[in-house]
């Protein structure tokens, strides 16, 4: 083999090696590009997921805050309505209370009412009881005159001996509009049958009808009397 042939062969070998090197380099670059693309996509998806999670967290916080604010406003409005209704009811009861002094303006009717209140109170005690009655100083005469009729009505209603009843003139009522307070002689058992107490009981029992009248525009079927509903 002469020198020219050797040179040709060496040139061919160099070209082959260069070609192999270029192909290998291309493979490496392609693999690197693919790996880069995969990693970039992974990072992008991870960031997207992070952003979505943060967005959902903030949206949830906003929704929760709005729900709390809405609930708070609704409860506040309800409380204001309930308070306004209660104020109206209290005012209605106070208006009724302001008319109590007029109950005693008719002596005949008031004497009848006192007797009924006394009988009703005495019936809450046993026949062997010893009772005392307190009333306004102005009503002492009416109450004293009502004691024996009250005992008679007790006996007629219960078919048993009436309790002994005495007027406690030494401790007259000072903070009532009228009526009586009956208690055992030792004061351990007390029945408050004053006009004030009767009004409180009637107002409580008539509360549903009172609400209808004040807030529904419906007429009450009846709110009872000072004697009824005890």
């Amino acid at each position: 083999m002469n020198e020219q042939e050797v040179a040709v062969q060496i040139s061919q070998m160099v070209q082959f090696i260069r070609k192999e090197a270029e192909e290998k380099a291309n493979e490496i670059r392609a693999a690197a590009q693919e790996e880069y693309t995969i990693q970039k996509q992974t990072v992008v998806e991870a960031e997207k997921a992070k952003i979505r999670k943060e967005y959902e967290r903030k949206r949830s916080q906003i929704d929760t805050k709005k729900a709390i604010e809405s609930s708070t406003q609704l409860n506040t409005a309800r409380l204001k309505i309930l308070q306004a209704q209660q104020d109206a009811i209290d005012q209605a009861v106070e208006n009724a209370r302001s008319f109590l002094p007029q109950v005693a303006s008719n002596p005949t009717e008031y004497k009848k009412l006192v007797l009924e209140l006394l009988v009703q109170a005495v019936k809450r005690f046993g026949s062997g009881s010893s009772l005392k009655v307190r009333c306004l100083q102005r009503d002492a005469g009416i109450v004293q005159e009502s004691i024996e009729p009250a005992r008679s009505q007790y006996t007629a209603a219960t078919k048993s001996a009436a309790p002994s009843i005495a007027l406690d003139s030494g401790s007259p009522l000072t903070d009532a509009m009228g009526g009586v307070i009956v208690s055992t002689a030792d004061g351990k058992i007390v029945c408050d049958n004053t006009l004030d107490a009767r009004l409180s009981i009637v107002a409580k029992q008539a509360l549903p009808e009172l609400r209808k009248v004040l807030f529904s525009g419906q007429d009450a079927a009846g709110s009872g009397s000072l004697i009824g509903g005890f």
Side-chain angles (χ1 to χ4, degrees):
M1 183 180 295
N2 57 35
E3 292 182 1
Q4 185 177 0
E5 292 175 342
V6 171
V8 171
Q9 190 173 11
I10 291 173
S11 176
Q12 290 176 347
M13 292 176 64
V14 169
Q15 290 177 0
F16 176 77
I17 293 171
R18 183 179 295 169
K19 183 179 179 182
E20 288 291 325
E22 288 177 354
E23 291 178 354
K24 192 65 176 178
N26 289 336
E27 290 178 2
I28 293 173
R29 279 194 295 268
Q33 182 63 38
E34 183 179 0
E35 181 66 22
Y36 167 75
T37 301
I38 293 173
Q39 290 183 356
K40 183 178 73 172
Q41 188 65 26
T42 301
V43 172
V44 169
E45 291 300 325
E47 288 300 318
K48 286 182 179 179
K50 183 178 179 181
I51 292 172
R52 284 195 295 268
K53 184 177 181 181
E54 181 65 14
Y55 169 77
E56 291 297 331
R57 184 184 69 82
K58 290 185 177 180
R59 188 177 70 173
S60 177
Q61 287 180 340
I62 293 173
D63 290 344
T64 301
K65 183 179 179 181
K66 287 182 178 179
I68 292 174
E69 290 176 350
S70 177
S71 178
T72 300
Q73 292 174 355
L74 182 60
N75 288 336
T76 299
R78 285 175 177 171
L79 289 175
K80 287 182 179 179
I81 292 173
L82 290 175
Q83 185 60 53
Q85 290 180 347
Q86 187 60 49
D87 290 344
I89 290 172
D90 291 343
Q91 186 59 52
V93 173
E94 284 305 312
N95 290 342
R97 191 182 305 278
S98 67
F99 286 99
L100 288 182
Q102 299 181 21
V103 174
S105 62
N106 186 324
T108 302
E109 291 299 321
Y110 184 60
K111 184 176 182 179
K112 179 180 177 182
L113 175 62
V114 168
L115 175 59
E116 291 175 346
L117 292 172
L118 183 58
V119 171
Q120 188 181 62
V122 173
K123 284 181 179 179
R124 298 182 65 86
F125 299 87
S127 62
S129 302
S130 178
L131 307 178
K132 60 182 180 180
V133 184
R134 297 176 61 206
C135 63
L136 293 171
Q137 191 168 7
R138 72 168 192 219
D139 294 340
I142 295 176
V143 172
Q144 187 64 59
E145 292 176 3
S146 300
I147 288 178
E148 285 308 316
R151 296 183 74 248
S152 297
Q153 289 190 28
Y154 178 95
T155 299
T158 64
K159 309 302 180 184
S160 58
S164 62
I165 307 173
L167 176 64
D168 186 0
S169 57
S171 302
L173 301 178
T174 58
D175 56 353
M177 297 290 186
V180 296
I181 293 180
V182 180
S183 66
T184 53
D186 56 12
K188 291 183 178 180
I189 303 175
V190 179
C191 177
D192 187 346
N193 237 14
T194 58
L195 298 184
D196 311 70
R198 300 309 309 171
L199 176 61
S200 296
I201 293 172
V202 170
K204 185 179 295 185
Q205 292 177 338
L207 187 58
E209 294 300 325
L210 190 58
R211 287 186 181 278
K212 286 183 180 180
V213 172
L214 292 176
F215 311 122
S216 299
Q218 300 178 9
D219 293 334
S223 57
S225 65
L226 287 174
I227 295 298
F230 183 52

